[in-house]
Amino acid sequence: MLADVLPYLRCPVCHGPFGADDAGRTLRCAARHSFDVARHGQVDLLTGRVPHTGDTAQMIAARDEFLRAGHFAAITSGLVRAATARPHPTGPTAGAAPLVVDAGAGTGFHLAAVLDALPDGVGLALDISKAAVRRAARAHPAAAAVRCDTWRRLPVADGCADLLLNVFAPRNGAEFARVLRPGGTLIVVTPLPEHLGELVRALGLLGVDPAKEDRLAATLDRHFAEVSRRTVGDRLTLSHRDADAVVQMGPSAWHTAPAVAAALPDPVEVTVAVRLTTYRLR
């Protein structure tokens, strides 16, 4: 719920803390910058010119359908194992409800799974897509959703997050380091070259950039030390509907027609292959 994460939110204009009006429908800082809370509980803290608007409603709907069907269960399980294996908090924040931030949360599906495994935790889903934050606001009773650009300064207080998730999403290393508390954990999921390779080759989809690992290192190495990494893999048997959903939920949706999977065998065998890496602050 938004009230649970309100102490951790910051005004995107002046970076001051927020209060809420009596009805809980408006967030307002001491400088009187105000932001309305939407019907489902999400709040839009995006300011200024927006160079991109994120995933469309159709992309988010496809992602919701695909994830709810359990096709990426191996990835979700890997995230949950890494989240629950992290060190327990020490120092001033020990005993407080852990804050889990998901940067580029999409529908909030993975965040909800992690919160299920951390029953005392509260979650904050961040995404630039309006459709995403609408769904993420309802993903879990202990989660709130905020629209923002994760390439910019995050509307989150310094040193407040115990755990930060980043699943197939942009990585802002400096901001991740700023919002994580000392001893906090960052978990990053990135696709390997063979991820969904059967669909990439058959349909001419966007593949994984060979320089992706180098870019990841350049983004994070200044701020984080790698603790562990593991490969998560699975083999899926997808119907045409499922194959179309996985195509339409990702970046290939921008240049691929719907129902493109009709050219494939039904069902089609597809590889899941990702790297799950855990980091700590340097």
Side-chain angles (χ1 to χ4, degrees):
M1 298 294 290
L2 190 60
D4 295 324
V5 301
L6 186 60
Y8 308 119
L9 296 181
R10 292 296 180 265
C11 174
V13 180
C14 66
H15 314 307
F18 281 119
D21 65 9
D22 292 339
R25 305 309 303 171
T26 303
L27 303 187
R28 185 174 289 107
C29 68
R32 304 196 64 77
H33 302 121
S34 62
F35 300 86
D36 292 335
V37 178
R39 179 166 59 93
H40 294 298
Q42 76 272 20
V43 62
D44 192 333
L45 297 183
L46 193 60
T47 59
R49 181 176 174 273
V50 182
H52 57 98
T53 56
D55 293 344
T56 65
Q58 292 76 16
M59 293 168 71
I60 293 300
R63 183 173 304 166
D64 186 62
E65 177 181 335
F66 190 83
L67 293 177
R68 285 182 181 277
H71 297 304
F72 279 176
I75 298 175
T76 307
S77 296
L79 271 171
V80 169
R81 285 195 296 272
T84 53
R86 79 194 197 288
H88 292 294
T90 58
T93 60
L99 173 65
V100 183
V101 176
D102 191 344
T107 65
F109 182 87
H110 296 301
L111 175 61
V114 169
L115 290 174
D116 280 343
L118 300 173
D120 58 339
V122 294
L124 176 58
L126 306 177
D127 206 286
I128 197 170
S129 164
K130 289 183 178 181
V133 296
R134 278 197 296 269
R135 287 191 186 254
R138 295 170 283 169
H140 194 278
V146 169
R147 186 178 182 228
C148 67
D149 186 350
T150 56
W151 285 118
R152 301 181 187 176
R153 182 183 174 98
L154 302 178
V156 181
D158 294 353
C160 66
D162 297 87
L163 176 62
L164 199 151
L165 310 178
N166 183 251
V167 184
F168 301 147
R171 295 169 296 275
N172 187 336
E175 279 299 283
F176 292 175
R178 181 183 65 79
V179 303
L180 274 170
R181 65 164 182 81
T185 299
L186 168 66
I187 304 174
V188 178
V189 177
T190 51
L192 293 171
E194 58 268 35
H195 184 60
L196 306 181
E198 296 84 354
L199 299 181
V200 170
R201 291 187 293 273
L203 303 176
L205 307 180
L206 295 174
V208 177
D209 186 343
K212 192 177 187 71
E213 284 297 312
D214 292 337
R215 291 203 309 274
L216 176 61
T219 302
L220 299 180
D221 281 358
R222 182 184 304 177
H223 308 282
F224 294 93
E226 184 177 314
V227 174
S228 66
R229 70 166 62 187
R230 62 186 294 256
T231 297
V232 175
D234 201 1
R235 288 286 292 172
L236 306 180
T237 301
L238 300 182
S239 68
H240 278 177
R241 181 184 178 97
D242 293 331
D244 278 324
V246 76
V247 171
Q248 293 303 316
M249 76 188 214
S252 291
W254 296 106
H255 60 84
T256 305
V260 69
L264 301 175
D266 190 4
V268 58
E269 298 291 321
V270 177
T271 299
V272 172
V274 304
R275 178 165 290 136
L276 192 154
T277 310
T278 300
Y279 299 88
R280 60 171 173 79
L281 280 172
R282 290 193 182 278

